[in-house]
Amino acid sequence: MITTTDIFTISSQKQFEKIALKFFRYQYENNKVYQEFCNFLKTDPHKVKSIQQIPFLPIQFFKSHEVISNYDDIQETFTSSGTTGMITSKHLVTDVTLYKESYQRGFSEFYGNIEDYVVLALLPSYLEREGSSLIYMVKDLIELSNHPESGFYLNNHDELIAKLNDLEEAGQNVILIGVTFALLDLIEKQQFKLQHTIIMETGGMKGRRKEMIREELHDQLCEGFGVAAIHSEYGMTELLSQAYSLGNGVFECPAWMQILVRDTEDALTYIPDGKTGGINVIDLANINSCSFIATQDLGKKNPNNSFEVLGRFDNSDIRGCNLMVL
């Protein structure tokens, strides 16, 4: 029997691996898409004895298949963003309380009590569509903050600028969660000197601006907001957990989430710490879909299990993954 206690009480690597293998066997038995994928790779589930032997489902399957591990009713369908006509990912969630517990515990682990902050959200590209898991999470964090000043902002930059300045003057701790292009738009209108505000970027120019390397982007944001570091959130539609960076683009996972880095030429081989490859994510909160996902992100893992995101595979290749898509 698998319970949420299995997921959210992990305290050691040995315990993580034991539960991950338990989840692998459960999902092999109960997730038709994942089972077919494992069979395609000629994986004998009885011979899988380590997390390195577990097959990781290419993330593109969430665009073409219903990736689900039970027959319960769908409570939420989270969808990825995309341009008109583009096929988007769908994450069918049969127990949304797992998502809530994951992001609430994850936030608390990295930032403490949500009620200590005013939560401001500048997420126009996400607010303008339905099905965003990020909006679902941030909306709940805003409500949990129990602060009347917390809220969403769309294109009302002047109002947000006034709010940030007022909260700064009052010495109020703030978290401003923003999509990258919108944060850049904001500091073009107003330069700040914020001592009580955490700036958290969620990534993505969404076609609104030219892409920048992280160092250049964070330098601009640090200067514009007058802060020493830019925080980041690493999450996606297909996951129910997030990793956080408290600065310098170095991410850490909560105890129920880990990454492995695969060889870009051979998706079934892993590379040493410090080398660049494709990011594989183990998200144990994904018990009802798939906990083992091969993303299209490039990154490297550090010896202490933190990691950096360095870019993405381009659309034409996903070398080493194309051959795995059924």
Side-chain angles (χ1 to χ4, degrees):
M1 181 69 178
I2 292 174
T3 68
T4 56
T5 303
D6 290 327
I7 302 169
F8 298 118
T9 59
I10 292 171
S11 59
S12 69
Q13 180 63 23
K14 183 177 180 181
Q15 188 181 10
F16 180 91
E17 294 194 14
K18 180 181 179 181
I19 294 172
L21 288 168
K22 182 179 179 181
F23 279 30
F24 161 67
R25 290 187 286 271
Y26 171 79
Q27 290 177 346
Y28 178 84
E29 292 295 329
N30 293 281
N31 186 323
K32 182 175 181 292
V33 171
Y34 185 56
Q35 184 181 93
E36 288 181 0
F37 174 70
C38 291
N39 291 342
F40 175 76
L41 295 180
K42 296 181 169 55
T43 301
D44 182 347
H46 300 101
K47 293 182 178 179
V48 173
K49 304 297 184 184
S50 72
I51 58 176
Q52 288 79 12
Q53 295 174 309
I54 294 174
F56 282 73
L57 188 73
I59 201 165
Q60 307 96 290
F61 275 73
F62 283 82
K63 294 183 177 181
S64 56
H65 295 73
E66 292 190 350
V67 182
I68 195 164
S69 293
N70 59 35
Y71 297 100
D72 295 343
D73 292 340
I74 307 301
Q75 294 181 356
E76 293 284 342
T77 299
F78 294 131
T79 58
S80 62
S81 57
T83 56
T84 303
M86 186 178 182
I87 299 173
T88 57
S89 291
K90 288 186 177 181
H91 190 176
L92 306 177
V93 179
T94 58
D95 184 1
V96 77
T97 62
L98 272 174
Y99 183 42
K100 289 183 175 182
E101 186 161 4
S102 178
Y103 66 65
Q104 289 174 11
R105 283 177 177 266
F107 181 92
S108 177
E109 181 176 325
F110 289 97
Y111 294 99
N113 189 345
I114 184 64
E115 293 188 2
D116 292 339
Y117 300 93
V118 168
V119 180
L120 304 178
L122 184 60
L123 300 165
S125 57
Y126 293 93
L127 276 175
E128 291 163 348
R129 66 178 184 84
E130 294 184 357
S132 167
S133 58
L134 178 62
I135 293 296
Y136 188 100
M137 177 181 79
V138 174
K139 182 175 183 291
D140 192 42
L141 292 177
I142 286 171
E143 292 173 358
L144 290 170
S145 74
N146 284 326
H147 204 295
E149 304 282 2
S150 294
F152 283 99
Y153 290 81
L154 188 56
N155 298 310
N156 43 340
H157 289 168
D158 291 338
E159 187 180 339
L160 176 56
I161 288 167
K163 182 70 68 180
L164 281 169
N165 287 330
D166 288 346
L167 292 169
E168 178 67 24
E169 189 174 341
Q172 170 66 50
N173 291 330
V174 176
I175 293 183
L176 172 59
I177 303 173
V179 66
T180 305
F181 76 83
L183 292 173
L184 290 169
D185 289 346
L186 189 66
I187 59 173
E188 285 184 355
K189 292 199 70 170
Q190 172 78 46
Q191 297 279 295
F192 299 87
K193 291 292 181 186
L194 300 175
Q195 297 181 353
H196 305 286
T197 299
I198 292 170
I199 306 299
M200 183 186 295
E201 57 99 1
T202 64
M205 294 301 187
K206 307 296 181 187
R208 310 284 183 100
R209 286 173 174 259
K210 71 177 182 66
E211 296 289 339
M212 287 189 282
I213 61 170
R214 177 185 56 79
E215 290 82 1
E216 179 187 4
L217 169 65
H218 282 202
D219 283 349
Q220 283 194 27
L221 292 174
C222 282
E223 182 178 354
F225 286 105
V227 295
I230 300 300
H231 294 221
S232 303
E233 179 255 5
Y234 181 78
M236 56 192 71
T237 300
E238 300 84 359
L239 302 178
L240 293 184
S241 300
Q242 299 79 29
Y244 289 100
S245 167
L246 307 189
N248 302 315
V250 178
F251 290 90
E252 294 187 32
C253 297
W256 55 93
M257 177 185 181
Q258 286 188 14
I259 73 148
L260 302 172
V261 180
R262 67 183 186 271
D263 192 314
T264 56
E265 301 291 345
D266 179 3
L268 304 180
T269 300
Y270 293 103
I271 60 176
D273 291 345
K275 301 290 186 181
T276 300
I279 293 177
N280 285 1
V281 177
I282 302 175
D283 179 7
L284 298 180
N286 263 12
I287 180 59
N288 295 318
S289 55
C290 183
S291 292
F292 312 98
I293 296 175
T295 78
Q296 293 177 253
D297 293 326
L298 291 167
K300 63 181 181 180
K301 188 176 178 182
N302 301 318
N304 65 353
N305 284 330
S306 65
F307 68 99
E308 299 173 50
V309 182
L310 302 174
R312 290 176 63 82
F313 290 95
D314 66 41
N315 291 329
S316 64
D317 75 10
I318 320 165
R319 286 177 295 180
C321 262
N322 277 343
L323 62 127
M324 299 199 303
V325 178
L326 299 176

